[in-house]
Amino acid sequence: ADTVLAQLIEDNFLNEERFAKIYAGGKFRIKQWGRNKIRQALKQKQVSDYCIKKGLQEIDEEEYINAIKALAEKKYQSLYREQYLKRKYKTQQYLIQKGFEPDIVKEAVEQVIQS
């Protein structure tokens, strides 16, 4: 088993950095997770900090901001029956739960409310 494992690592079939990049990109594009949630999931899988950092670099900053804005808009609109402050609070909490950074979330929600 050790020989096979060593051969797989040598042939680059088992590569922690590659896994982190694919995992981070996939969770962001498919499940719309934020960086915090992806970071926590990779830590749970015992991926090294270096590989986590490399994986998170795969997420394009512009795409990330656009995803936050789109999710904020969708969630805010879905809460149209709620009071203004409840809508704002629930939208922010939803995005933070998805793993997005609180300062970026606050800014995105404010932009949605103003538009």
Side-chain angles (χ1 to χ4, degrees), residues 49-94:
D49 289 337
Y50 171 79
C51 291
I52 291 173
K53 199 176 291 183
K54 284 290 194 182
L56 292 176
Q57 287 175 355
E58 286 296 300
I59 300 171
D60 181 52
E61 189 66 30
E62 190 174 324
E63 272 185 63
Y64 192 73
I65 299 298
N66 289 338
I68 293 172
K69 288 178 182 176
L71 285 170
E73 177 75 33
K74 186 176 178 181
K75 184 65 175 179
Y76 191 77
Q77 295 303 323
S78 73
L79 298 169
Y80 67 93
R81 292 184 180 187
E82 298 282 345
Q83 295 175 349
Y84 163 75
L85 290 176
K86 274 191 176 181
R87 284 175 85 179
K88 181 178 175 181
Y89 175 77
K90 286 183 177 183
T91 303
Q92 288 176 343
Q93 290 304 306
Y94 170 75

Side-chain angles (χ1 to χ4, degrees), residues 19-29 38 42 55-56 58-59:
F19 169 76
K21 287 180 177 181
I22 292 169
Y23 187 87
K27 291 296 182 185
F28 171 68
R29 280 189 302 281
I38 294 169
L42 286 171
L56 292 176
E58 286 296 300
I59 300 171

Side-chain angles (χ1 to χ4, degrees), residues 26-54:
K27 291 296 182 185
F28 171 68
R29 280 189 302 281
I30 296 168
K31 291 201 173 192
Q32 308 253 298
W33 283 7
R35 289 187 186 116
N36 291 341
K37 193 166 185 172
I38 294 169
R39 184 178 293 112
Q40 285 305 109
L42 286 171
K43 280 186 180 184
Q44 250 183 349
K45 295 184 180 300
Q46 298 176 348
V47 175
S48 70
D49 289 337
Y50 171 79
C51 291
I52 291 173
K53 199 176 291 183
K54 284 290 194 182

